[in-house]
Amino acid sequence: MEQRINSVPEGHRKNAMGHLVPEELIAPIDMIRDDLVHDIIAKGRELRALISEFKARTMSEVANFIDVSAAEYGVRFGGAKGNVQLTSFDGQHMVKLSVGEHRHFDERIQTAKTLIDGCITRWSDGASAQIVALVDHAFRVNKQGHIDVNQVLSLRQLQIEDAEWQEAMDAIADAIQVTGTSTYLRLYERQGNGSYQMLSLDPAKL
């Protein structure tokens, strides 16, 4: 049985309210459930630590390999490595290391939205329902209360020759702030049809 994080006197267990309860007052099935849950969580913590160690070691090995490969051309890299894809000689396995940016909009995104709304109002019936729908969709707030950066940036792909619209697109670009990066490690195996399937390490997907 897992050793409890908080000190609990022998013969007692702490309930969800933080109260100490003598074990003789606890139903046997509740004690069995308690032991089971704590044991599963303890094993999960151990597994998470192993995966974390595997990721750190793998990223270091990939970085070292990049240095070895670059050295053949007399090139030396400094600092963190960027996106890279390594494939086995037989093409059966692939390792991808990718760096993703954490981006959000500052207050200027509201200026961009006002300019876009001004365009749609000025165009009146000339604005297609499709464009209106794209704008409404792009500026929707997600569950975290944020505007999706990629959705808004999709508006910049629209070829609209209008000075106010272009000003709004410039405001969107200026409003993007990069707050940090995350490195992602993904493993792939080639399937019989030639496509690659990610080797998931997420218990929910196994």
Side-chain angles (χ1 to χ4, degrees):
M1 183 178 69
E2 177 203 11
Q3 182 179 359
R4 304 302 164 83
I5 297 176
N6 297 321
S7 177
V8 177
E10 186 71 24
H12 292 73
R13 301 202 183 199
K14 186 178 293 185
N15 65 15
M17 300 295 292
H19 303 147
L20 292 177
V21 181
E23 289 186 344
E24 61 266 22
L25 299 181
I26 303 174
I29 191 63
D30 290 339
M31 293 179 59
I32 295 173
R33 183 191 306 110
D34 186 47
D35 290 339
L36 174 63
V37 172
H38 283 292
D39 186 55
I40 291 173
I41 294 300
K43 292 175 180 175
R45 287 200 186 102
E46 293 175 0
L47 181 59
R48 182 180 64 175
L50 288 174
I51 293 176
S52 179
E53 179 186 353
F54 167 75
K55 178 182 178 182
R57 184 173 66 251
T58 300
M59 289 170 56
S60 176
E61 290 173 347
V62 170
N64 290 338
F65 172 76
I66 294 174
D67 287 336
V68 170
S69 179
E72 292 191 359
Y73 299 92
V75 176
R76 295 187 63 181
F77 289 108
K81 308 300 188 293
N83 299 328
V84 65
Q85 174 178 307
L86 306 178
T87 307
S88 62
F89 188 68
D90 62 2
Q92 289 299 117
H93 302 101
M94 184 192 308
V95 175
K96 285 186 178 181
L97 202 63
S98 58
V99 179
E101 293 181 336
H102 300 297
R103 301 177 298 174
H104 74 279
F105 290 119
D106 62 22
E107 76 287 346
R108 286 173 287 189
I109 195 62
Q110 299 302 326
T111 299
K113 181 62 164 61
T114 299
L115 290 169
I116 291 173
D117 289 342
C119 289
I120 293 175
T121 300
R122 178 163 47 82
W123 296 337
S124 188
D125 294 337
S128 71
Q130 183 180 12
I131 292 178
V132 174
L134 284 173
V135 170
D136 289 341
H137 180 73
F139 281 91
R140 285 190 308 176
V141 176
N142 60 24
K143 293 180 180 179
Q144 290 73 39
H146 303 297
I147 296 174
D148 189 306
V149 173
N150 293 328
Q151 290 288 351
V152 175
L153 288 179
S154 67
L155 297 176
R156 290 171 54 84
Q157 299 176 1
L158 299 177
Q159 301 298 318
I160 299 177
E161 298 298 328
D162 183 282
E164 189 175 12
W165 177 270
Q166 293 302 323
E167 186 179 1
M169 297 303 101
D170 290 341
I172 288 174
D174 293 339
I176 297 177
Q177 300 292 322
V178 177
T179 58
T181 60
S182 292
T183 302
Y184 301 94
L185 172 66
R186 297 182 175 91
L187 314 178
Y188 296 86
E189 290 182 325
R190 190 165 66 178
Q191 306 303 296
N193 59 5
S195 65
Y196 284 93
Q197 181 175 335
M198 188 168 68
L199 183 64
S200 177
L201 301 179
D202 181 357
K205 298 181 180 179
L206 298 179

PDB file of all heavy atoms in Angstrom, residues 143-165:
ATOM      1  N   LYS A 143     -12.740  27.714 -24.375  1.00  0.00           N
ATOM      2  CA  LYS A 143     -13.112  27.372 -23.004  1.00  0.00           C
ATOM      3  C   LYS A 143     -12.216  28.045 -21.973  1.00  0.00           C
ATOM      4  O   LYS A 143     -12.609  28.239 -20.822  1.00  0.00           O
ATOM      5  CB  LYS A 143     -13.059  25.854 -22.824  1.00  0.00           C
ATOM      6  CG  LYS A 143     -14.101  25.102 -23.627  1.00  0.00           C
ATOM      7  CD  LYS A 143     -14.000  23.606 -23.396  1.00  0.00           C
ATOM      8  CE  LYS A 143     -15.044  22.856 -24.212  1.00  0.00           C
ATOM      9  NZ  LYS A 143     -14.927  21.379 -24.016  1.00  0.00           N
ATOM     10  N   GLN A 144     -10.995  28.378 -22.384  1.00  0.00           N
ATOM     11  CA  GLN A 144     -10.072  29.047 -21.474  1.00  0.00           C
ATOM     12  C   GLN A 144     -10.255  30.565 -21.462  1.00  0.00           C
ATOM     13  O   GLN A 144      -9.529  31.282 -20.771  1.00  0.00           O
ATOM     14  CB  GLN A 144      -8.619  28.724 -21.850  1.00  0.00           C
ATOM     15  CG  GLN A 144      -8.201  27.278 -21.564  1.00  0.00           C
ATOM     16  CD  GLN A 144      -8.809  26.291 -22.548  1.00  0.00           C
ATOM     17  OE1 GLN A 144      -8.909  26.566 -23.728  1.00  0.00           O
ATOM     18  NE2 GLN A 144      -9.232  25.137 -22.045  1.00  0.00           N
ATOM     19  N   GLY A 145     -11.215  31.046 -22.251  1.00  0.00           N
ATOM     20  CA  GLY A 145     -11.487  32.476 -22.285  1.00  0.00           C
ATOM     21  C   GLY A 145     -10.572  33.250 -23.211  1.00  0.00           C
ATOM     22  O   GLY A 145     -10.466  34.473 -23.104  1.00  0.00           O
ATOM     23  N   HIS A 146      -9.909  32.547 -24.144  1.00  0.00           N
ATOM     24  CA  HIS A 146      -8.977  33.200 -25.052  1.00  0.00           C
ATOM     25  C   HIS A 146      -9.455  33.070 -26.498  1.00  0.00           C
ATOM     26  O   HIS A 146     -10.197  32.143 -26.843  1.00  0.00           O
ATOM     27  CB  HIS A 146      -7.581  32.594 -24.935  1.00  0.00           C
ATOM     28  CG  HIS A 146      -7.009  32.649 -23.551  1.00  0.00           C
ATOM     29  ND1 HIS A 146      -6.742  33.833 -22.901  1.00  0.00           N
ATOM     30  CD2 HIS A 146      -6.667  31.659 -22.682  1.00  0.00           C
ATOM     31  CE1 HIS A 146      -6.251  33.580 -21.700  1.00  0.00           C
ATOM     32  NE2 HIS A 146      -6.210  32.268 -21.542  1.00  0.00           N
ATOM     33  N   ILE A 147      -8.988  33.997 -27.324  1.00  0.00           N
ATOM     34  CA  ILE A 147      -9.256  33.929 -28.759  1.00  0.00           C
ATOM     35  C   ILE A 147      -8.192  33.044 -29.390  1.00  0.00           C
ATOM     36  O   ILE A 147      -7.000  33.198 -29.127  1.00  0.00           O
ATOM     37  CB  ILE A 147      -9.232  35.336 -29.385  1.00  0.00           C
ATOM     38  CG1 ILE A 147     -10.363  36.192 -28.812  1.00  0.00           C
ATOM     39  CG2 ILE A 147      -9.361  35.257 -30.901  1.00  0.00           C
ATOM     40  CD1 ILE A 147     -10.321  37.638 -29.267  1.00  0.00           C
ATOM     41  N   ASP A 148      -8.602  32.110 -30.235  1.00  0.00           N
ATOM     42  CA  ASP A 148      -7.675  31.191 -30.887  1.00  0.00           C
ATOM     43  C   ASP A 148      -6.830  31.947 -31.913  1.00  0.00           C
ATOM     44  O   ASP A 148      -7.346  32.505 -32.882  1.00  0.00           O
ATOM     45  CB  ASP A 148      -8.456  30.062 -31.573  1.00  0.00           C
ATOM     46  CG  ASP A 148      -7.553  28.958 -32.077  1.00  0.00           C
ATOM     47  OD1 ASP A 148      -6.613  29.259 -32.830  1.00  0.00           O
ATOM     48  OD2 ASP A 148      -7.792  27.798 -31.723  1.00  0.00           O
ATOM     49  N   VAL A 149      -5.518  31.950 -31.699  1.00  0.00           N
ATOM     50  CA  VAL A 149      -4.616  32.698 -32.571  1.00  0.00           C
ATOM     51  C   VAL A 149      -4.690  32.191 -34.015  1.00  0.00           C
ATOM     52  O   VAL A 149      -4.775  32.977 -34.966  1.00  0.00           O
ATOM     53  CB  VAL A 149      -3.166  32.616 -32.058  1.00  0.00           C
ATOM     54  CG1 VAL A 149      -2.199  33.246 -33.048  1.00  0.00           C
ATOM     55  CG2 VAL A 149      -3.038  33.300 -30.702  1.00  0.00           C
ATOM     56  N   ASN A 150      -4.665  30.873 -34.187  1.00  0.00           N
ATOM     57  CA  ASN A 150      -4.665  30.307 -35.536  1.00  0.00           C
ATOM     58  C   ASN A 150      -5.943  30.628 -36.294  1.00  0.00           C
ATOM     59  O   ASN A 150      -5.909  30.856 -37.510  1.00  0.00           O
ATOM     60  CB  ASN A 150      -4.458  28.789 -35.468  1.00  0.00           C
ATOM     61  CG  ASN A 150      -3.070  28.412 -34.972  1.00  0.00           C
ATOM     62  OD1 ASN A 150      -2.107  29.125 -35.218  1.00  0.00           O
ATOM     63  ND2 ASN A 150      -2.971  27.305 -34.267  1.00  0.00           N
ATOM     64  N   GLN A 151      -7.071  30.636 -35.584  1.00  0.00           N
ATOM     65  CA  GLN A 151      -8.342  30.954 -36.237  1.00  0.00           C
ATOM     66  C   GLN A 151      -8.328  32.386 -36.765  1.00  0.00           C
ATOM     67  O   GLN A 151      -8.767  32.653 -37.887  1.00  0.00           O
ATOM     68  CB  GLN A 151      -9.510  30.768 -35.258  1.00  0.00           C
ATOM     69  CG  GLN A 151      -9.797  29.320 -34.895  1.00  0.00           C
ATOM     70  CD  GLN A 151     -10.419  28.540 -36.037  1.00  0.00           C
ATOM     71  OE1 GLN A 151     -10.796  29.101 -37.064  1.00  0.00           O
ATOM     72  NE2 GLN A 151     -10.515  27.240 -35.860  1.00  0.00           N
ATOM     73  N   VAL A 152      -7.835  33.319 -35.939  1.00  0.00           N
ATOM     74  CA  VAL A 152      -7.794  34.719 -36.367  1.00  0.00           C
ATOM     75  C   VAL A 152      -6.799  34.900 -37.512  1.00  0.00           C
ATOM     76  O   VAL A 152      -7.065  35.623 -38.481  1.00  0.00           O
ATOM     77  CB  VAL A 152      -7.430  35.635 -35.189  1.00  0.00           C
ATOM     78  CG1 VAL A 152      -7.276  37.084 -35.650  1.00  0.00           C
ATOM     79  CG2 VAL A 152      -8.509  35.556 -34.108  1.00  0.00           C
ATOM     80  N   LEU A 153      -5.666  34.234 -37.427  1.00  0.00           N
ATOM     81  CA  LEU A 153      -4.660  34.367 -38.487  1.00  0.00           C
ATOM     82  C   LEU A 153      -5.170  33.839 -39.830  1.00  0.00           C
ATOM     83  O   LEU A 153      -4.676  34.251 -40.884  1.00  0.00           O
ATOM     84  CB  LEU A 153      -3.385  33.627 -38.091  1.00  0.00           C
ATOM     85  CG  LEU A 153      -2.550  34.273 -36.983  1.00  0.00           C
ATOM     86  CD1 LEU A 153      -1.326  33.432 -36.672  1.00  0.00           C
ATOM     87  CD2 LEU A 153      -2.125  35.690 -37.378  1.00  0.00           C
ATOM     88  N   SER A 154      -6.152  32.935 -39.783  1.00  0.00           N
ATOM     89  CA  SER A 154      -6.705  32.415 -41.034  1.00  0.00           C
ATOM     90  C   SER A 154      -7.360  33.524 -41.856  1.00  0.00           C
ATOM     91  O   SER A 154      -7.460  33.422 -43.088  1.00  0.00           O
ATOM     92  CB  SER A 154      -7.721  31.301 -40.751  1.00  0.00           C
ATOM     93  OG  SER A 154      -8.866  31.816 -40.088  1.00  0.00           O
ATOM     94  N   LEU A 155      -7.796  34.603 -41.185  1.00  0.00           N
ATOM     95  CA  LEU A 155      -8.408  35.728 -41.912  1.00  0.00           C
ATOM     96  C   LEU A 155      -7.397  36.421 -42.815  1.00  0.00           C
ATOM     97  O   LEU A 155      -7.760  37.021 -43.831  1.00  0.00           O
ATOM     98  CB  LEU A 155      -8.991  36.738 -40.920  1.00  0.00           C
ATOM     99  CG  LEU A 155     -10.131  36.251 -40.022  1.00  0.00           C
ATOM    100  CD1 LEU A 155     -10.527  37.344 -39.034  1.00  0.00           C
ATOM    101  CD2 LEU A 155     -11.330  35.821 -40.852  1.00  0.00           C
ATOM    102  N   ARG A 156      -6.115  36.349 -42.448  1.00  0.00           N
ATOM    103  CA  ARG A 156      -5.078  37.014 -43.247  1.00  0.00           C
ATOM    104  C   ARG A 156      -4.879  36.346 -44.602  1.00  0.00           C
ATOM    105  O   ARG A 156      -4.244  36.911 -45.485  1.00  0.00           O
ATOM    106  CB  ARG A 156      -3.758  37.026 -42.469  1.00  0.00           C
ATOM    107  CG  ARG A 156      -3.795  37.970 -41.260  1.00  0.00           C
ATOM    108  CD  ARG A 156      -2.566  37.809 -40.373  1.00  0.00           C
ATOM    109  NE  ARG A 156      -1.319  37.950 -41.097  1.00  0.00           N
ATOM    110  CZ  ARG A 156      -0.727  39.123 -41.368  1.00  0.00           C
ATOM    111  NH1 ARG A 156      -1.298  40.247 -40.958  1.00  0.00           N
ATOM    112  NH2 ARG A 156       0.403  39.169 -42.020  1.00  0.00           N
ATOM    113  N   GLN A 157      -5.422  35.137 -44.751  1.00  0.00           N
ATOM    114  CA  GLN A 157      -5.304  34.439 -46.025  1.00  0.00           C
ATOM    115  C   GLN A 157      -6.342  34.915 -47.038  1.00  0.00           C
ATOM    116  O   GLN A 157      -6.230  34.615 -48.226  1.00  0.00           O
ATOM    117  CB  GLN A 157      -5.445  32.930 -45.800  1.00  0.00           C
ATOM    118  CG  GLN A 157      -4.377  32.345 -44.889  1.00  0.00           C
ATOM    119  CD  GLN A 157      -4.604  30.865 -44.602  1.00  0.00           C
ATOM    120  OE1 GLN A 157      -5.551  30.257 -45.098  1.00  0.00           O
ATOM    121  NE2 GLN A 157      -3.736  30.278 -43.794  1.00  0.00           N
ATOM    122  N   LEU A 158      -7.344  35.640 -46.568  1.00  0.00           N
ATOM    123  CA  LEU A 158      -8.373  36.149 -47.474  1.00  0.00           C
ATOM    124  C   LEU A 158      -7.793  37.287 -48.310  1.00  0.00           C
ATOM    125  O   LEU A 158      -7.212  38.231 -47.784  1.00  0.00           O
ATOM    126  CB  LEU A 158      -9.588  36.647 -46.681  1.00  0.00           C
ATOM    127  CG  LEU A 158     -10.316  35.606 -45.826  1.00  0.00           C
ATOM    128  CD1 LEU A 158     -11.444  36.270 -45.044  1.00  0.00           C
ATOM    129  CD2 LEU A 158     -10.871  34.476 -46.690  1.00  0.00           C
ATOM    130  N   GLN A 159      -7.955  37.193 -49.612  1.00  0.00           N
ATOM    131  CA  GLN A 159      -7.452  38.224 -50.523  1.00  0.00           C
ATOM    132  C   GLN A 159      -8.511  39.309 -50.706  1.00  0.00           C
ATOM    133  O   GLN A 159      -9.338  39.248 -51.608  1.00  0.00           O
ATOM    134  CB  GLN A 159      -7.083  37.586 -51.880  1.00  0.00           C
ATOM    135  CG  GLN A 159      -6.026  36.502 -51.785  1.00  0.00           C
ATOM    136  CD  GLN A 159      -4.706  37.036 -51.249  1.00  0.00           C
ATOM    137  OE1 GLN A 159      -4.246  38.122 -51.620  1.00  0.00           O
ATOM    138  NE2 GLN A 159      -4.083  36.279 -50.342  1.00  0.00           N
ATOM    139  N   ILE A 160      -8.499  40.285 -49.809  1.00  0.00           N
ATOM    140  CA  ILE A 160      -9.477  41.377 -49.857  1.00  0.00           C
ATOM    141  C   ILE A 160      -8.736  42.691 -50.046  1.00  0.00           C
ATOM    142  O   ILE A 160      -7.931  43.097 -49.197  1.00  0.00           O
ATOM    143  CB  ILE A 160     -10.321  41.422 -48.566  1.00  0.00           C
ATOM    144  CG1 ILE A 160     -11.115  40.111 -48.397  1.00  0.00           C
ATOM    145  CG2 ILE A 160     -11.263  42.622 -48.568  1.00  0.00           C
ATOM    146  CD1 ILE A 160     -11.921  40.037 -47.125  1.00  0.00           C
ATOM    147  N   GLU A 161      -8.974  43.328 -51.173  1.00  0.00           N
ATOM    148  CA  GLU A 161      -8.307  44.594 -51.487  1.00  0.00           C
ATOM    149  C   GLU A 161      -9.102  45.746 -50.888  1.00  0.00           C
ATOM    150  O   GLU A 161      -9.982  46.323 -51.530  1.00  0.00           O
ATOM    151  CB  GLU A 161      -8.168  44.750 -53.010  1.00  0.00           C
ATOM    152  CG  GLU A 161      -7.318  43.680 -53.681  1.00  0.00           C
ATOM    153  CD  GLU A 161      -5.884  43.701 -53.174  1.00  0.00           C
ATOM    154  OE1 GLU A 161      -5.382  44.800 -52.820  1.00  0.00           O
ATOM    155  OE2 GLU A 161      -5.259  42.628 -53.117  1.00  0.00           O
ATOM    156  N   ASP A 162      -8.830  46.054 -49.658  1.00  0.00           N
ATOM    157  CA  ASP A 162      -9.514  47.135 -48.954  1.00  0.00           C
ATOM    158  C   ASP A 162      -8.538  47.689 -47.931  1.00  0.00           C
ATOM    159  O   ASP A 162      -7.959  46.930 -47.138  1.00  0.00           O
ATOM    160  CB  ASP A 162     -10.785  46.615 -48.277  1.00  0.00           C
ATOM    161  CG  ASP A 162     -11.570  47.720 -47.591  1.00  0.00           C
ATOM    162  OD1 ASP A 162     -11.153  48.130 -46.486  1.00  0.00           O
ATOM    163  OD2 ASP A 162     -12.575  48.177 -48.154  1.00  0.00           O
ATOM    164  N   ALA A 163      -8.326  49.007 -47.925  1.00  0.00           N
ATOM    165  CA  ALA A 163      -7.321  49.625 -47.061  1.00  0.00           C
ATOM    166  C   ALA A 163      -7.617  49.373 -45.582  1.00  0.00           C
ATOM    167  O   ALA A 163      -6.715  49.059 -44.797  1.00  0.00           O
ATOM    168  CB  ALA A 163      -7.244  51.123 -47.339  1.00  0.00           C
ATOM    169  N   GLU A 164      -8.898  49.502 -45.183  1.00  0.00           N
ATOM    170  CA  GLU A 164      -9.252  49.301 -43.779  1.00  0.00           C
ATOM    171  C   GLU A 164      -9.063  47.835 -43.379  1.00  0.00           C
ATOM    172  O   GLU A 164      -8.621  47.529 -42.268  1.00  0.00           O
ATOM    173  CB  GLU A 164     -10.694  49.736 -43.523  1.00  0.00           C
ATOM    174  CG  GLU A 164     -11.059  49.763 -42.038  1.00  0.00           C
ATOM    175  CD  GLU A 164     -12.459  50.309 -41.792  1.00  0.00           C
ATOM    176  OE1 GLU A 164     -13.231  50.451 -42.767  1.00  0.00           O
ATOM    177  OE2 GLU A 164     -12.779  50.598 -40.629  1.00  0.00           O
ATOM    178  N   TRP A 165      -9.413  46.916 -44.294  1.00  0.00           N
ATOM    179  CA  TRP A 165      -9.218  45.492 -44.019  1.00  0.00           C
ATOM    180  C   TRP A 165      -7.731  45.186 -43.840  1.00  0.00           C
ATOM    181  O   TRP A 165      -7.339  44.465 -42.919  1.00  0.00           O
ATOM    182  CB  TRP A 165      -9.808  44.661 -45.154  1.00  0.00           C
ATOM    183  CG  TRP A 165      -9.597  43.182 -44.985  1.00  0.00           C
ATOM    184  CD1 TRP A 165      -8.545  42.437 -45.431  1.00  0.00           C
ATOM    185  CD2 TRP A 165     -10.446  42.269 -44.283  1.00  0.00           C
ATOM    186  NE1 TRP A 165      -8.683  41.128 -45.077  1.00  0.00           N
ATOM    187  CE2 TRP A 165      -9.856  40.991 -44.360  1.00  0.00           C
ATOM    188  CE3 TRP A 165     -11.671  42.405 -43.613  1.00  0.00           C
ATOM    189  CZ2 TRP A 165     -10.433  39.857 -43.793  1.00  0.00           C
ATOM    190  CZ3 TRP A 165     -12.241  41.278 -43.037  1.00  0.00           C
ATOM    191  CH2 TRP A 165     -11.623  40.025 -43.123  1.00  0.00           C
TER     192      TRP A 165
END
